[in-house]
Amino acid sequence: MRKERRIIDVFSLSFLDVVSCGFGAIILLLVLSKVSEPLVREKISRDLKGEVHQLNQQLVEIRENSKSAKRELALSNRQLAFLRKELIRQQQQIAALKARYQAGNLDIVTHRRIKAQMETALQKLTAEMQRLQAQKLPPPPDSPIGGVPVDSEYIIFVIDTSGSMQRYAWPLVRRKMAETLAVYPHVKGIQVMNDMGDYMFSQYAGRWIPDTPARRRAILKRLASWSPFSNSSPVEGITRAIRRFHTPGRRISIYVLGDDFSRGSIQAVIDTVDRLNRAGPGGERLVRIHAIGFPVLLLKGGAEENAARFAALMRRLAQDNNGSFVGLSGLGVHR
């Protein structure tokens, strides 16, 4: 037997239940999505704000870095400009030095020519001086310093500043200093030391005092109150003067003013001075040594032996070194 097909009613209760459930689910989904939407938006907003804040910070850093880079660039440009100027200045200096070097080469040639002419003139002048020296009359016997040669261009005074000289002979020392300077109208240099080798003027230590009328007056004025320590021995002053000031070709005289030689060997001093003040081929020494002896110890009851030792030493030094020794006796003078 053939079964009949069952007719299905699409609008049956079961179908409607399914459709209703589907619509309910959709509505429930819509409701749920609407409820969670503010939370999502808030989260997204927070994330975006954080990103914006981070980007703003990065922008500030970029701007700061840009400003720093601009400052460094400006500093570099200034340094570059300075270096360019320095380069130009050094190039100019090099050019100037080259020009001076070239001019100097020309000057050397000129100087050599002038030097040759001066040497020729000097030879002629020396011959004329020798001729005039041969014709020169001897100094009178009553010369202020007893006929001591006065042909030197430089003079050095070595003065005993001991207590005996200061107390008894100082006015006479000042007078003899003035008289000695007077017989040298003009020299190229003067120096004043005490017997220890200490300089009268510290600003001229080791160099020549210019010879001017004002400087001569200053020397005589300073001598009135000058009293450095002294050991009553002229040896230190003489040797220091020779070591410091002797120069080949210069005519130099040392004047020793003193009264006493209390210690040491006379022969040792003579040997030392002979070694320092060497004689040239013609027998001429580097410096002349003159001496003036003051009879303080003889007149004031001092050690006569020391006075005799001073006289013996200075007479021998003057004899060996082309000089003269003058011994004073009261107000008189005898050689």
Side-chain angles (χ1 to χ4, degrees), residues 130-220:
Q130 291 175 351
R131 186 182 65 81
L132 294 175
Q133 187 73 19
Q135 297 176 356
K136 187 168 115 176
L137 296 176
D142 56 350
S143 172
I145 54 172
V148 175
V150 291
D151 59 345
S152 298
E153 300 172 319
Y154 299 85
I155 52 176
I156 303 173
F157 293 95
V158 177
I159 304 173
D160 183 349
T161 55
S162 62
S164 59
M165 290 284 287
Q166 293 278 340
R167 284 193 298 272
Y168 304 115
W170 215 242
L172 189 56
V173 169
R174 294 169 59 189
R175 194 176 80 191
K176 292 304 175 183
M177 275 281 291
E179 291 176 354
T180 305
L181 288 171
V183 299
Y184 289 92
H186 180 73
V187 292
K188 295 181 179 179
I190 303 173
Q191 188 52 260
V192 184
M193 311 165 68
N194 81 333
D195 54 310
M196 298 290 292
D198 298 327
Y199 295 94
M200 173 179 280
F201 297 102
S202 58
Q203 65 269 32
Y204 287 103
R207 59 194 183 96
W208 293 106
I209 300 172
D211 182 17
T212 64
R215 184 53 58 186
R216 291 189 177 210
R217 289 194 297 270
I219 290 172
L220 295 175

XYZ file of all heavy atoms in Angstrom, residues 130-220:
728
model
N 147.792 105.398 17.654
C 149.155 105.051 18.052
C 150.123 106.200 17.786
O 151.019 106.476 18.580
C 149.599 103.793 17.301
C 148.858 102.529 17.735
C 149.234 101.328 16.907
O 149.926 101.457 15.896
N 148.768 100.146 17.315
N 149.912 106.870 16.644
C 150.782 108.008 16.332
C 150.591 109.112 17.355
O 151.564 109.703 17.851
C 150.474 108.523 14.925
C 151.435 109.627 14.445
C 151.032 110.109 13.070
N 149.733 110.760 13.089
C 149.540 112.036 13.478
N 150.566 112.769 13.896
N 148.334 112.554 13.468
N 149.335 109.397 17.689
C 149.064 110.454 18.668
C 149.545 110.052 20.062
O 150.005 110.893 20.829
C 147.562 110.768 18.699
C 146.986 111.397 17.418
C 145.478 111.532 17.528
C 147.630 112.765 17.163
N 149.417 108.741 20.377
C 149.867 108.277 21.689
C 151.379 108.463 21.835
O 151.878 108.781 22.912
C 149.483 106.795 21.867
C 149.740 106.247 23.255
C 148.752 106.772 24.268
O 147.687 107.257 23.911
N 149.125 106.718 25.539
N 152.084 108.241 20.737
C 153.540 108.418 20.787
C 153.911 109.873 21.006
O 154.941 110.183 21.614
C 154.171 107.900 19.499
N 153.051 110.783 20.513
C 153.337 112.210 20.663
C 152.819 112.768 21.982
O 153.112 113.901 22.322
C 152.698 112.994 19.510
C 153.254 112.625 18.138
C 152.529 113.364 17.025
O 151.569 114.088 17.288
N 152.997 113.181 15.804
N 152.026 111.969 22.708
C 151.387 112.484 23.919
C 152.414 112.734 25.008
O 153.289 111.902 25.261
C 150.355 111.473 24.429
C 149.515 111.973 25.569
C 148.359 111.013 25.772
C 148.492 110.349 27.100
N 147.372 109.475 27.408
N 152.295 113.858 25.666
C 153.217 114.216 26.750
C 152.853 113.441 28.001
O 151.685 113.150 28.251
C 153.141 115.721 27.025
C 153.601 116.617 25.869
C 153.385 118.071 26.229
C 155.071 116.358 25.526
N 153.812 113.078 28.831
C 153.489 112.369 30.074
C 152.694 113.268 31.002
O 152.803 114.497 30.953
C 154.875 112.041 30.656
C 155.802 113.038 30.033
C 155.256 113.331 28.673
N 151.864 112.716 31.834
C 151.062 113.522 32.758
C 151.949 114.236 33.767
O 153.037 113.755 34.090
C 150.165 112.488 33.453
C 150.898 111.200 33.324
C 151.650 111.275 32.033
N 151.530 115.360 34.243
C 152.320 116.096 35.229
C 152.418 115.327 36.528
O 151.559 114.530 36.860
C 151.521 117.398 35.417
C 150.140 117.048 34.999
C 150.270 116.038 33.917
N 153.512 115.568 37.317
C 153.706 114.819 38.561
C 152.596 115.017 39.555
O 152.361 114.167 40.394
C 155.034 115.344 39.098
C 155.673 116.111 37.981
C 154.604 116.494 37.030
N 151.925 116.168 39.520
C 150.890 116.434 40.509
C 149.512 116.044 40.000
O 148.504 116.640 40.352
C 150.888 117.914 40.904
C 150.713 118.821 39.688
O 150.784 118.308 38.555
O 150.488 120.031 39.900
N 149.444 115.048 39.129
C 148.156 114.558 38.635
C 147.304 114.126 39.814
O 147.817 113.583 40.799
C 148.382 113.372 37.693
O 147.166 112.767 37.355
N 145.966 114.308 39.742
C 145.103 114.002 40.894
C 145.216 112.573 41.368
O 145.019 112.296 42.536
C 143.690 114.293 40.362
C 143.902 115.267 39.256
C 145.215 114.926 38.654
N 145.540 111.617 40.476
C 145.675 110.237 40.928
C 147.085 109.734 40.708
O 147.338 108.562 40.476
C 144.666 109.323 40.220
C 144.774 109.451 38.700
C 143.270 109.614 40.655
C 143.920 108.431 37.961
N 148.038 110.617 40.711
C 149.429 110.229 40.714
C 149.918 109.685 39.396
O 150.794 108.830 39.372
N 149.417 110.169 38.271
C 149.904 109.719 36.975
C 149.412 108.357 36.554
O 150.048 107.688 35.742
N 148.294 107.887 37.083
C 147.733 106.594 36.689
C 147.241 106.687 35.252
O 146.585 107.658 34.882
C 146.565 106.214 37.628
C 145.890 104.947 37.155
C 147.078 106.041 39.049
N 147.527 105.701 34.377
C 147.049 105.748 32.990
C 145.527 105.843 32.940
O 144.825 105.136 33.664
C 147.535 104.415 32.403
C 148.676 104.019 33.261
C 148.374 104.520 34.639
N 145.036 106.721 32.072
C 143.590 106.952 32.001
C 143.098 106.741 30.572
O 142.301 107.506 30.052
C 143.227 108.377 32.490
C 143.450 108.505 33.977
C 144.053 109.437 31.734
N 143.561 105.682 29.934
C 143.166 105.409 28.553
C 142.036 104.385 28.455
O 141.727 103.900 27.382
C 144.367 104.902 27.758
C 144.959 103.632 28.364
O 144.637 103.323 29.532
O 145.733 102.953 27.664
N 141.432 104.035 29.568
C 140.392 102.998 29.549
C 139.050 103.574 29.120
O 138.732 104.740 29.357
C 140.267 102.348 30.927
O 141.475 101.717 31.283
N 138.231 102.695 28.510
C 136.877 103.062 28.088
C 135.830 102.690 29.140
O 134.718 103.204 29.116
C 136.528 102.348 26.777
C 137.466 102.678 25.624
C 137.199 101.812 24.422
O 136.960 100.601 24.601
O 137.220 102.345 23.295
N 136.202 101.770 30.045
C 135.293 101.317 31.102
C 136.080 101.314 32.410
O 137.255 100.918 32.438
C 134.778 99.900 30.827
C 134.005 99.766 29.543
C 134.664 99.540 28.332
C 132.612 99.841 29.524
C 133.957 99.411 27.145
C 131.904 99.718 28.345
C 132.572 99.505 27.164
O 131.876 99.374 25.994
N 135.434 101.729 33.508
C 136.120 101.749 34.804
C 135.228 101.083 35.851
O 134.001 101.232 35.850
C 136.492 103.181 35.241
C 135.280 104.125 35.178
C 137.619 103.715 34.408
C 135.582 105.513 35.686
N 135.882 100.336 36.746
C 135.206 99.636 37.836
C 135.884 100.034 39.138
O 137.112 99.971 39.242
C 135.281 98.110 37.663
C 134.692 97.678 36.316
C 134.552 97.402 38.806
C 134.899 96.201 36.012
N 135.099 100.439 40.129
C 135.622 100.766 41.453
C 135.306 99.609 42.398
O 134.153 99.176 42.495
C 134.997 102.056 41.991
C 135.398 103.279 41.224
C 134.598 103.774 40.205
C 136.580 103.943 41.511
C 134.956 104.909 39.495
C 136.952 105.072 40.807
C 136.149 105.556 39.794
N 136.323 99.091 43.076
C 136.166 98.069 44.109
C 136.579 98.725 45.417
O 137.771 98.977 45.644
C 137.012 96.818 43.801
C 136.889 95.809 44.933
C 136.592 96.192 42.480
N 135.609 99.010 46.290
C 135.839 99.852 47.468
C 135.675 99.031 48.738
O 134.673 98.321 48.915
C 134.845 101.035 47.480
C 134.951 101.826 46.166
C 135.106 101.944 48.669
C 133.902 102.904 46.020
N 136.657 99.127 49.620
C 136.593 98.487 50.936
C 135.588 99.272 51.789
O 135.779 100.463 52.061
C 137.989 98.505 51.571
C 138.023 97.793 52.915
O 136.950 97.470 53.447
O 139.133 97.587 53.439
N 134.492 98.605 52.204
C 133.454 99.281 53.003
C 133.488 98.814 54.458
O 132.466 98.811 55.137
C 132.061 99.016 52.399
O 131.857 97.594 52.292
C 131.937 99.627 51.017
N 134.666 98.420 54.917
C 134.785 97.945 56.296
C 134.594 99.100 57.282
O 134.581 100.275 56.913
C 136.149 97.290 56.504
O 137.184 98.238 56.286
N 134.497 98.732 58.578
C 134.273 99.739 59.606
C 135.389 100.746 59.712
O 135.150 101.953 59.915
N 136.640 100.301 59.579
C 137.764 101.235 59.699
C 137.735 102.267 58.578
O 137.982 103.465 58.819
C 139.088 100.456 59.675
O 139.209 99.706 58.465
N 137.423 101.829 57.361
C 137.327 102.767 56.237
C 136.156 103.727 56.444
O 136.268 104.937 56.195
C 137.169 101.996 54.935
C 138.401 101.236 54.475
S 139.663 102.326 53.773
C 138.917 102.751 52.202
N 135.027 103.203 56.908
C 133.849 104.046 57.091
C 134.083 105.112 58.161
O 133.670 106.258 58.011
C 132.635 103.169 57.482
C 132.148 102.233 56.394
C 131.254 102.935 55.407
O 130.700 103.995 55.692
N 131.101 102.345 54.227
N 134.754 104.720 59.247
C 134.926 105.656 60.356
C 135.993 106.711 60.082
O 135.820 107.882 60.443
C 135.296 104.879 61.635
C 134.131 104.165 62.277
C 134.494 103.686 63.681
N 135.602 102.722 63.657
C 135.442 101.405 63.518
N 134.225 100.903 63.383
N 136.491 100.606 63.511
N 137.106 106.325 59.454
C 138.249 107.219 59.393
C 138.595 107.738 57.992
O 139.210 108.795 57.881
C 139.492 106.515 59.979
C 139.293 106.013 61.375
C 139.320 104.643 61.646
C 139.057 106.886 62.430
C 139.134 104.165 62.928
C 138.873 106.413 63.724
C 138.904 105.058 63.966
O 138.724 104.593 65.238
N 138.243 107.009 56.947
C 138.739 107.389 55.619
C 137.631 107.765 54.636
O 137.939 108.101 53.490
C 139.566 106.236 55.030
N 136.381 107.729 55.077
C 135.305 107.871 54.087
C 135.277 109.240 53.392
O 135.055 109.284 52.166
C 133.959 107.551 54.726
C 133.032 106.876 53.755
C 131.836 107.313 53.295
C 133.262 105.612 53.098
N 131.296 106.424 52.419
C 132.149 105.360 52.270
C 134.294 104.679 53.124
C 132.049 104.225 51.476
C 134.190 103.545 52.343
C 133.082 103.330 51.526
N 135.470 110.340 54.085
C 135.515 111.618 53.338
C 136.616 111.635 52.284
O 136.413 112.139 51.173
C 135.776 112.652 54.445
C 135.240 112.016 55.682
C 135.535 110.561 55.537
N 137.783 111.040 52.601
C 138.880 110.986 51.634
C 138.543 110.026 50.479
O 138.893 110.286 49.318
C 140.164 110.553 52.337
C 141.453 110.637 51.520
C 141.675 112.053 50.982
C 142.645 110.171 52.337
N 137.850 108.930 50.794
C 137.414 108.006 49.735
C 136.505 108.728 48.750
O 136.660 108.607 47.526
C 136.692 106.786 50.353
C 136.010 105.961 49.270
C 137.675 105.913 51.125
N 135.544 109.476 49.271
C 134.618 110.200 48.396
C 135.366 111.220 47.536
O 135.069 111.391 46.349
C 133.554 110.885 49.248
C 132.629 109.904 49.971
C 131.771 110.583 51.008
N 130.950 111.621 50.397
C 130.231 112.505 51.095
N 130.280 112.493 52.421
N 129.507 113.397 50.472
N 136.367 111.874 48.131
C 137.123 112.879 47.370
C 137.937 112.217 46.263
O 137.975 112.696 45.124
C 138.039 113.660 48.307
C 138.603 114.929 47.677
C 139.423 115.708 48.671
N 140.770 115.134 48.794
C 141.638 115.477 49.739
N 141.287 116.354 50.670
N 142.826 114.943 49.792
N 138.587 111.079 46.570
C 139.394 110.395 45.563
C 138.510 109.802 44.459
O 138.906 109.746 43.290
C 140.242 109.292 46.214
C 141.331 109.843 47.119
C 142.236 110.812 46.350
C 143.255 111.483 47.257
N 144.079 112.479 46.536
N 137.327 109.375 44.833
C 136.378 108.897 43.807
C 136.038 110.022 42.843
O 136.027 109.850 41.610
C 135.109 108.375 44.471
C 135.189 106.939 44.931
S 134.962 105.750 43.584
C 133.243 106.005 43.196
N 135.728 111.209 43.389
C 135.386 112.357 42.545
C 136.565 112.750 41.665
O 136.391 113.070 40.480
C 134.942 113.528 43.426
N 137.771 112.732 42.224
C 138.958 113.095 41.439
C 139.212 112.080 40.320
O 139.560 112.448 39.196
C 140.184 113.188 42.353
C 140.144 114.358 43.315
C 141.327 114.357 44.276
O 142.110 113.372 44.246
O 141.484 115.323 45.053
N 139.030 110.799 40.619
C 139.247 109.765 39.603
C 138.240 109.902 38.473
O 138.590 109.812 37.287
C 139.143 108.366 40.234
O 140.055 108.272 41.334
C 139.464 107.294 39.212
N 136.977 110.120 38.818
C 135.962 110.311 37.782
C 136.254 111.550 36.949
O 135.980 111.579 35.744
C 134.568 110.414 38.414
C 133.984 109.113 38.974
C 132.706 109.400 39.750
C 133.689 108.130 37.848
N 136.825 112.591 37.601
C 137.067 113.846 36.882
C 138.105 113.688 35.786
O 138.055 114.397 34.773
C 137.507 114.933 37.868
N 139.075 112.781 35.958
C 140.104 112.621 34.931
C 139.626 111.740 33.778
O 140.345 111.550 32.805
C 141.409 112.047 35.522
C 141.963 112.977 36.566
C 141.195 110.648 36.074
N 138.411 111.181 33.890
C 137.767 110.470 32.783
C 136.551 111.292 32.354
O 135.446 111.091 32.869
C 137.308 109.072 33.225
C 138.409 108.079 33.456
C 138.976 107.924 34.725
C 138.888 107.280 32.420
C 139.977 106.994 34.945
C 139.904 106.352 32.639
C 140.437 106.215 33.899
O 141.434 105.308 34.127
N 136.706 112.246 31.453
C 135.558 113.098 31.082
C 134.365 112.287 30.588
O 133.219 112.625 30.874
C 136.124 113.989 29.977
C 137.608 113.945 30.176
C 137.921 112.599 30.711
N 134.655 111.230 29.842
C 133.553 110.401 29.369
C 134.067 109.000 29.093
O 135.089 108.817 28.448
C 132.936 110.977 28.086
C 131.795 110.139 27.585
N 130.575 110.116 28.205
C 131.707 109.281 26.528
C 129.767 109.287 27.551
N 130.437 108.764 26.532
N 133.353 108.000 29.634
C 133.660 106.594 29.368
C 132.386 105.901 28.886
O 131.288 106.458 28.943
C 134.202 105.887 30.632
C 135.569 106.425 31.011
C 133.227 106.022 31.797
N 132.557 104.693 28.420
C 131.401 103.954 27.895
C 130.604 103.250 28.982
O 129.454 102.894 28.766
C 131.881 102.929 26.861
C 132.499 103.563 25.626
C 132.932 102.509 24.627
C 133.535 103.142 23.377
N 133.993 102.113 22.392
N 131.219 103.041 30.153
C 130.498 102.374 31.229
C 131.240 102.478 32.540
O 132.469 102.543 32.573
N 130.479 102.508 33.647
C 131.035 102.588 34.995
C 130.379 101.490 35.825
O 129.217 101.123 35.584
C 130.773 103.966 35.644
C 131.340 105.092 34.768
C 131.363 104.057 37.048
C 130.970 106.480 35.262
N 131.107 100.977 36.823
C 130.509 100.049 37.781
C 131.166 100.276 39.133
O 132.358 100.593 39.209
C 130.691 98.602 37.339
C 129.945 97.587 38.183
C 128.473 97.917 38.339
O 128.051 98.464 39.358
N 127.698 97.615 37.300
N 130.375 100.146 40.205
C 130.876 100.343 41.572
C 130.482 99.124 42.396
O 129.309 98.764 42.480
C 130.303 101.625 42.208
C 130.920 101.837 43.597
C 130.555 102.833 41.324
N 131.498 98.470 43.005
C 131.296 97.296 43.839
C 132.066 97.485 45.137
O 132.999 98.283 45.198
C 131.793 96.030 43.121
C 131.287 95.872 41.699
S 132.208 94.640 40.737
C 131.736 93.149 41.588
N 131.673 96.756 46.170
C 132.504 96.777 47.365
C 133.489 95.612 47.308
O 133.500 94.837 46.345
C 131.649 96.760 48.632
C 131.179 95.368 48.982
O 131.028 94.513 48.126
N 130.923 95.131 50.261
N 134.321 95.486 48.317
C 135.376 94.470 48.271
C 134.829 93.046 48.314
O 135.551 92.094 47.999
C 136.358 94.681 49.433
C 135.644 94.725 50.772
O 134.651 95.470 50.900
O 136.077 94.030 51.702
N 133.548 92.877 48.659
C 132.915 91.558 48.639
C 132.297 91.236 47.277
O 131.772 90.151 47.070
C 131.823 91.496 49.713
C 132.329 91.670 51.127
S 133.299 90.258 51.680
C 132.052 89.000 51.780
N 132.308 92.214 46.371
C 131.693 91.999 45.059
C 130.234 92.392 45.006
O 129.550 92.086 44.023
N 129.704 93.080 46.051
C 128.315 93.541 46.051
C 128.218 94.858 45.273
O 129.056 95.754 45.426
C 127.815 93.749 47.480
C 127.828 92.452 48.272
O 127.607 91.392 47.664
O 128.080 92.505 49.496
N 127.150 94.980 44.460
C 126.989 96.150 43.611
C 126.371 97.321 44.385
O 125.499 97.124 45.243
C 126.095 95.817 42.415
C 126.705 94.802 41.480
C 126.425 93.446 41.616
C 127.574 95.197 40.463
C 126.983 92.504 40.764
C 128.135 94.258 39.603
C 127.847 92.918 39.760
O 128.401 92.000 38.914
N 126.829 98.530 44.058
C 126.241 99.726 44.674
C 124.787 99.892 44.246
O 123.923 100.222 45.062
C 127.050 100.976 44.297
C 126.408 102.278 44.754
S 127.359 103.769 44.339
C 128.589 103.756 45.654
N 124.495 99.639 42.956
C 123.134 99.773 42.434
C 122.684 98.395 41.959
O 123.206 97.867 40.967
C 123.076 100.772 41.277
C 123.456 102.172 41.667
C 124.711 102.681 41.371
C 122.568 102.981 42.349
C 125.072 103.961 41.733
C 122.915 104.271 42.723
C 124.172 104.766 42.414
N 121.714 97.806 42.680
C 121.278 96.450 42.341
C 120.649 96.370 40.962
O 120.710 95.331 40.314
C 120.270 95.955 43.389
O 119.145 96.828 43.460
N 120.044 97.480 40.494
C 119.422 97.432 39.170
C 120.447 97.333 38.046
O 120.097 97.004 36.912
C 118.515 98.658 38.937
C 119.218 100.004 38.890
C 119.306 100.663 40.259
O 119.400 99.979 41.267
N 119.241 101.986 40.290
N 121.716 97.642 38.369
C 122.778 97.517 37.361
C 123.707 96.347 37.681
O 124.845 96.317 37.193
C 123.584 98.810 37.289
C 122.839 99.942 36.627
C 122.279 100.965 37.379
C 122.675 99.976 35.244
C 121.581 102.000 36.768
C 121.980 100.997 34.629
C 121.438 102.015 35.398
O 120.750 103.031 34.794
N 123.236 95.385 38.470
C 124.077 94.224 38.803
C 124.418 93.445 37.543
O 123.547 93.058 36.776
C 123.335 93.322 39.796
N 125.705 93.243 37.338
C 126.152 92.453 36.204
C 126.192 93.190 34.885
O 126.490 92.587 33.850
N 125.888 94.477 34.876
C 125.959 95.238 33.623
C 126.491 96.645 33.916
O 126.537 97.077 35.068
C 124.594 95.303 32.934
C 123.491 95.934 33.756
C 122.121 95.640 33.152
N 121.033 96.293 33.868
C 120.491 97.447 33.523
N 120.946 98.087 32.445
N 119.500 97.976 34.207
N 126.858 97.345 32.832
C 127.510 98.645 32.985
C 126.497 99.736 33.310
O 125.387 99.742 32.792
C 128.256 99.008 31.703
C 129.423 98.133 31.415
C 129.520 97.167 30.466
C 130.674 98.120 32.115
N 130.732 96.549 30.516
C 131.480 97.116 31.512
C 131.198 98.847 33.166
C 132.765 96.836 31.950
C 132.482 98.562 33.601
C 133.251 97.571 32.993
N 126.920 100.657 34.180
C 126.124 101.855 34.462
C 126.428 102.885 33.373
O 127.598 103.178 33.110
C 126.486 102.448 35.843
C 126.225 101.415 36.946
C 125.709 103.722 36.108
C 126.729 101.845 38.305
N 125.426 103.432 32.708
C 125.698 104.436 31.670
C 126.400 105.657 32.270
O 126.101 106.084 33.387
C 124.294 104.798 31.154
C 123.426 103.661 31.566
C 123.991 103.139 32.843
N 127.333 106.197 31.512
C 128.090 107.361 31.993
C 127.358 108.637 31.597
O 127.378 109.054 30.441
C 129.503 107.338 31.395
C 130.342 108.506 31.922
O 129.955 109.097 32.946
O 131.372 108.820 31.290
N 126.687 109.239 32.565
C 126.021 110.526 32.367
C 126.343 111.398 33.584
O 126.656 110.882 34.667
C 124.496 110.370 32.249
O 123.974 109.850 33.491
C 124.130 109.403 31.108
N 126.264 112.721 33.440
C 126.494 113.585 34.610
C 125.562 113.257 35.771
O 125.982 113.252 36.942
C 126.243 114.989 34.052
C 126.543 114.869 32.578
C 126.098 113.501 32.199
N 124.299 112.961 35.462
C 123.346 112.639 36.532
C 123.737 111.344 37.232
O 123.657 111.242 38.470
C 121.940 112.514 35.947
N 124.187 110.352 36.478
C 124.567 109.085 37.092
C 125.842 109.236 37.921
O 125.976 108.627 38.988
C 124.754 108.036 36.000
C 125.068 106.646 36.496
C 124.075 106.156 37.510
N 122.726 106.135 37.007
C 121.661 105.859 37.742
N 121.814 105.622 39.039
N 120.466 105.858 37.205
N 126.779 110.065 37.484
C 127.982 110.322 38.298
C 127.608 110.986 39.623
O 128.133 110.635 40.676
C 128.972 111.188 37.524
C 129.609 110.475 36.336
C 130.732 111.287 35.743
N 131.403 110.590 34.659
C 132.672 110.725 34.333
N 133.430 111.562 35.020
N 133.203 110.047 33.331
N 126.693 111.959 39.557
C 126.250 112.603 40.801
C 125.558 111.592 41.708
O 125.729 111.619 42.936
C 125.308 113.764 40.475
C 125.995 114.967 39.836
C 125.092 116.190 39.844
N 123.899 115.978 39.040
C 123.803 116.257 37.739
N 124.852 116.758 37.091
N 122.682 116.045 37.087
N 124.784 110.675 41.116
C 124.097 109.659 41.916
C 125.093 108.724 42.592
O 124.897 108.317 43.750
C 123.143 108.862 41.022
N 126.186 108.383 41.899
C 127.209 107.518 42.491
C 127.851 108.191 43.700
O 127.974 107.587 44.777
C 128.272 107.157 41.433
C 127.688 106.217 40.375
C 129.496 106.510 42.091
C 128.614 105.965 39.198
N 128.238 109.456 43.547
C 128.891 110.165 44.656
C 127.915 110.385 45.810
O 128.311 110.316 46.989
C 129.453 111.499 44.148
C 130.588 111.378 43.107
C 130.984 112.749 42.596
C 131.794 110.650 43.716
